[in-house]
Amino acid sequence: MISTEPTEMNTRTVVRGVIAGLSGVGFVLIFLFVQTRLVSLPVLLGVGIATIIALFAAGGTTAVRRLAGRTETTTDEKRETDWWLTRVEPALEDSWNAWSDIVLAVCLGAVGIGSFALLVTSSTNDPPLGLLITGFLGINSALISLAFALD
């Protein structure tokens, strides 16, 4: 019997997973940037707009509606919360795959290493504490994401 299910990921699935991973990284960066106050408001808005565009490209209008807190009435479990960051996972779950985990691990690792590099090369006597926090969170999150990517 010949299976009609493809055994390999097609190009569309790979691209969709990579874009979903980039969107996930964008939401993590928005959260980190707001908490640590490392970037200016225009940079934060630029990252936010790029992240929403990536979310739309990965999951379409359904993903954007889920992020906005509007769930479908066809689901048995209604997922509503007041905190926007908890709605990211349901918004990206349809397009998330192994490629998304790889993108998340690589990008968060780069953010962590970059934060430590900026901290070490800082010319001021009192570098921002936010760089240290972002570095530790980036490296630890990358290691956790790497475990899921290798699974």
Side-chain angles (χ1 to χ4, degrees), residues 24-82:
V25 168
F27 286 115
V28 170
L29 287 178
I30 290 169
F31 175 74
L32 285 175
F33 290 161
V34 167
Q35 294 300 314
T36 59
R37 295 180 182 95
L38 284 177
V39 298
S40 64
L41 184 60
V43 172
L44 187 64
L45 288 175
V47 170
I49 291 169
T51 300
I52 296 296
I53 290 170
L55 176 69
F56 179 75
T61 56
T62 305
V64 175
R65 279 196 305 258
R66 284 181 182 167
L67 181 67
R70 296 185 179 97
T71 58
E72 295 82 23
T73 57
T74 59
T75 59
D76 295 333
E77 178 184 335
K78 190 173 183 182
R79 299 183 213 178
E80 280 191 25
T81 182
D82 293 332

Side-chain angles (χ1 to χ4, degrees), residues 126-146:
D126 192 23
L129 180 62
L131 286 174
L132 183 65
I133 294 168
T134 302
F136 277 119
L137 289 175
I139 293 294
N140 288 324
S141 300
L143 291 173
I144 292 168
S145 298
L146 185 61

